[in-house]
Amino acid sequence: MTTLLDGITSAKVPTDRLTAHVLEVAGREHGEPVVFVHGNVSSSAFWQESMLDLPERYRPIAVDLRGFGGTDPLPVDATRGVRDYADDVAATLAALSIDAAHLVGWSLGGGVVLQLLREHPALARTVTLVNPVSPYGFGGTKGADGELVDAAGAGSGGGGANPDFVARLKDGDTSDESPFSPRQVLLAFYVKPPFHPARLDDLVESMLTTRVGDDHYPGDSTTTDAWPGVAPGTRGVLNTLAPGHFRLDDLDAIEPKPPILWVRGADDQIVSDTSLFDLAHLGRLGAVPGWPGEATHPAQPMVTQARAVLDRYAAAGGDYREVVISDTGHSPHIEKPKEFSAALLEVLANG
């Protein structure tokens, strides 16, 4: 069990889809709702400091996605992209009688928040994206416009996960004996080394709440003759972000258009134009054999893709601000909480 900080409360919320686990701040039931959505292989526990940093006028709520933390581990239908997750969050807000909220999403949660914005724009007072997944998903695309590298999505989906990490996650490994243990992955990639989170043990325990298997993390996969030999399946987390299932490049069409804050660590190695989790970039580095070359399989420019989509949002009358926090990795809310909270409060005040 992840330790709750003083002032944080935990509850199960029955909805018409599943029973969701949420964290809140005691005594804030009547404030403006600020809903925090965590990333992959994590849980609501990663948001506790950010929740406590918000002023009294706000009601912080952190939701566990299905298959993470304490929310029901229902199977994930990846053919719907991240809609299972987004629909669960919408149902949780409805069960809490919340019809509008400030939405904050980190990594995978950024994609979930964008899906909510796309389908329920009136629900979002403001949107904050924290090192979000590209609007074109993770893996299998190239260029600023998210062109598919392969029609079947080769190079994306459940087959792209490191099997040693998956096995250690399943076994509940809390050690630091391997670079593929959850603890070492967190220290190497969730944050920028040599940063060491004060609640490291709690964050590792949060990672270990991830359900492992074809219906959850990483999901199923298929084989293909196209490089690198794996293509997306139809179930589980990583397949929700496969480009054939996930595409959110038409945000410029929504109305109303709430203010968007895009905050990211300058040295992120997960969501990057040269991501160390992108098989194409790993192929370029020689870590995945048989790479066909730059002409056909360049690294996915994840940050460039996000900026192109948000630029179109602004050109269509929306407003967004990009904040880049220096000397920071994938988790600015953990690594640089003061800078993160300052940027968040600024956008909240505009909603």
Side-chain angles (χ1 to χ4, degrees), residues 301-325:
M302 302 176 188
V303 172
T304 297
Q305 290 174 344
R307 187 176 295 113
V309 169
L310 291 172
D311 282 346
R312 289 199 296 273
Y313 183 82
D319 175 67
Y320 91 90
R321 177 182 176 221
E322 180 181 356
V323 173
V324 182
I325 301 179

Side-chain angles (χ1 to χ4, degrees), residues 1 4 10 46 93 99 128 161 175 222 241 244 249 297 311 330 351:
M1 288 289 292
L4 298 182
S10 169
F46 274 73
L93 297 185
D99 57 11
T128 297
S175 75
T222 59
L241 300 176
D249 60 342
H297 289 72
D311 282 346
H330 190 60

Side-chain angles (χ1 to χ4, degrees), residues 272-286:
S272 165
D273 284 0
T274 52
S275 169
L276 290 178
F277 290 73
D278 173 22
L279 295 182
H281 182 57
L282 291 174
R284 171 197 279 170
L285 297 177

Side-chain angles (χ1 to χ4, degrees), residues 51-123:
M51 297 169 69
L52 292 169
D53 281 346
L54 288 180
E56 293 284 337
R57 64 176 284 193
Y58 297 108
R59 178 187 180 183
I61 303 166
V63 182
D64 283 338
L65 300 175
R66 65 170 62 192
F68 301 95
T71 290
D72 287 349
L74 298 187
V76 178
D77 179 358
T79 66
R80 304 184 70 233
V82 296
R83 288 180 180 86
D84 273 358
Y85 299 130
D87 290 350
D88 292 345
V89 174
T92 303
L93 297 185
L96 294 171
S97 300
I98 294 171
D99 57 11
H102 303 278
L103 304 177
V104 184
W106 168 47
S107 196
L108 165 67
V112 175
V113 163
L114 286 179
Q115 191 72 57
L116 279 168
L117 174 62
R118 181 66 187 85
E119 297 186 9
H120 308 282
L123 178 64

Side-chain angles (χ1 to χ4, degrees), residues 160-175:
N162 181 284
D164 194 356
F165 174 68
V166 174
R168 290 175 179 275
L169 192 66
K170 184 177 181 179
D171 290 344
D173 181 8
T174 62
S175 75

